[in-house]
Amino acid sequence: MEILAFGVQADEKPLIERAFQGHHEVRCLDVFLNEDTAPIAAGYEAISTSVNAELGARVLEVLAAGGTRMIAQRSTGFNNIDLKVAERLGMTVARVSYYSPYSVAEFAWTLAMAVNRRIVRAAIRTRDFDFRLDGLMGRDMYGRTVGVLGTGKIGEAFTRIAHGFGMKLLGWDVAENPACRELGMTYVSKEQLLAESDLVTLHVPLMPETQHLIDADALKAMKDDAILVNSSRGGLIDTAALVTELRAGRFTGVGLDVYEAEAGLFFLDKSLEAIEDDTLARLVTFPNVLVTSHQAYYTEDAVGQIVDATVKNVLDYRAGRRSENVLVPRS
């Protein structure tokens, strides 16, 4: 069986080809799956997709009509897939339920420290041989308060680093993590966490219940000089409301690796095009905002684990096995 993999980055391609070697043939495409590209999958029983693939009803129907019976998504999140339609069409859907939490946690800290210590501005200056320190003053993290929204595997990894910095730890989640408790974390309401934290970081999945978890009211509840980091899913933050607060001069820094309307933008070269998204265009103009293109997971370790899990998902499908990665089982 030949697998068709959509949205494969150049660094990913050799890892995917090597992992499938000896099992199945794999054809890697750099285009992302959407309604326009879905017909390419005709004749492929199994496909692999990236986190920004569009897998709504129309795309799934096109895939099913072309003979696709299995979708192996190379990510933990699956909010982009209409699982009910996939089940109705008799399609098997699997994801990667686990990969290195350190990749995302470490990158979240990279964003936090970059905006805190004005690293981007400093690097641009020194490239122009401007060595002034004006406007580059940051703050010690030691002794300050961090609020971790979502204390699963990634949130725990972030908390361990925060503990190493000597910070006061506040957490919020539907279920408490004993490991975070042992590190000294105090679980509080979301409102108290936002009001008291110098650094707020998001590590919850995107679901209807968490859509715009950080809305206008939540943003207003935060300290004026707080740092906000999102390395989870863009839809957790009401970006228009965030722009409003930034225009008012609030927040020491905002680090975003995700954006709620990133599909069709992130992972692509848009440098020679006019960006029609006015909210994103405005967002990147703020000197205290750093936006990266959904790269927190992008380490050799994490991508290797994602690829290995994807191969296993395809092999399990062929063998009729189920695992914790299966979202819609084989009918």
Side-chain angles (χ1 to χ4, degrees):
M1 183 173 68
E2 186 176 17
I3 317 299
L4 183 63
F6 284 94
V8 177
Q9 303 296 311
D11 297 331
E12 279 184 296
K13 185 177 180 180
L15 297 176
I16 291 175
E17 291 176 338
R18 190 181 311 126
F20 272 104
Q21 193 171 16
H23 300 294
H24 297 290
E25 296 294 322
V26 62
R27 178 187 173 197
C28 295
L29 302 179
D30 59 2
V31 298
F32 294 90
L33 178 61
N34 54 41
E35 193 168 336
D36 293 329
T37 61
I40 300 173
Y44 288 90
E45 181 180 351
I47 66 168
S48 177
T49 59
S50 63
V51 66
N52 276 342
E54 297 176 14
L55 286 158
R58 179 56 186 155
V59 171
L60 290 171
E61 288 166 357
V62 172
L63 292 174
T68 298
R69 295 292 175 264
M70 195 272 172
I71 298 170
Q73 178 140 299
R74 302 187 307 278
S75 72
T76 299
F78 53 90
N79 55 284
N80 60 319
I81 308 173
D82 192 325
L83 298 180
K84 290 183 179 179
V85 172
E87 184 176 14
R88 173 172 61 80
L89 294 171
M91 305 176 80
T92 300
V93 181
R95 58 152 179 174
V96 177
S97 59
Y98 174 85
Y99 61 84
S100 168
Y102 309 106
S103 61
V104 180
E106 290 172 5
F107 193 84
W109 265 108
T110 300
L111 289 174
M113 295 307 295
V115 296
N116 177 38
R117 302 305 300 269
R118 322 290 196 227
I119 297 300
V120 175
R121 186 185 302 178
I124 292 172
R125 281 189 186 178
T126 55
R127 285 175 67 91
D128 291 333
F129 300 101
D130 178 354
F131 301 106
R132 293 173 299 158
L133 298 182
D134 297 345
L136 301 183
M137 185 174 289
R139 296 181 296 177
D140 291 359
M141 288 290 103
Y142 176 81
R144 285 191 159 80
T145 300
V146 61
V148 183
L149 291 161
T151 56
K153 293 183 177 65
I154 296 173
E156 178 187 331
F158 187 97
T159 300
R160 290 188 182 280
I161 299 171
H163 180 262
F165 271 104
M167 303 186 75
K168 178 182 177 181
L169 310 173
L170 297 181
W172 174 88
D173 208 328
V174 293
E176 297 184 5
N177 185 335
C180 291
R181 278 282 194 187
E182 291 179 7
L183 291 169
M185 175 173 279
T186 301
Y187 280 87
V188 297
S189 67
K190 185 182 78 169
E191 292 72 22
Q192 182 179 344
L193 182 149
L194 294 174
E196 297 182 6
S197 296
D198 300 294
L199 166 61
V200 174
T201 182
L202 308 181
H203 301 291
V204 299
L206 180 60
M207 303 179 292
E209 298 81 7
T210 59
Q211 178 75 27
H212 287 180
L213 180 71
I214 303 300
D215 58 11
D217 290 339
L219 291 165
K220 291 183 184 303
M222 293 174 61
K223 293 182 176 181
D224 287 343
D225 61 353
I227 293 171
L228 174 63
V229 173
N230 186 10
S231 58
S232 183
R233 288 293 182 270
L236 298 175
I237 296 178
D238 182 339
T239 316
L242 176 60
V243 168
T244 298
E245 296 304 312
L246 289 165
R247 290 180 63 186
R250 300 190 65 223
F251 305 133
T252 290
V254 176
L256 304 174
D257 185 51
V258 287
Y259 173 61
E260 60 181 324
E262 68 182 55
L265 290 172
F266 282 20
F267 305 140
L268 300 172
D269 181 2
K270 297 289 185 177
S271 60
L272 299 179
E273 302 177 27
I275 297 300
E276 298 179 358
D277 188 324
D278 292 338
T279 302
L280 178 61
R282 184 69 180 93
L283 189 64
V284 299
T285 65
F286 292 104
N288 57 334
V289 174
L290 175 57
V291 178
T292 53
S293 54
H294 207 141
Q295 70 181 82
Y297 78 98
Y298 208 53
T299 66
E300 292 180 4
D301 311 83
V303 173
Q305 292 167 5
I306 289 169
V307 169
D308 288 344
T310 300
V311 173
K312 182 179 182 300
N313 288 341
V314 173
L315 296 178
D316 285 346
Y317 161 77
R318 292 289 285 176
R321 296 187 296 263
R322 290 187 61 173
S323 73
E324 70 280 2
N325 290 340
V326 176
L327 299 170
V328 179
R330 185 171 185 172
S331 56

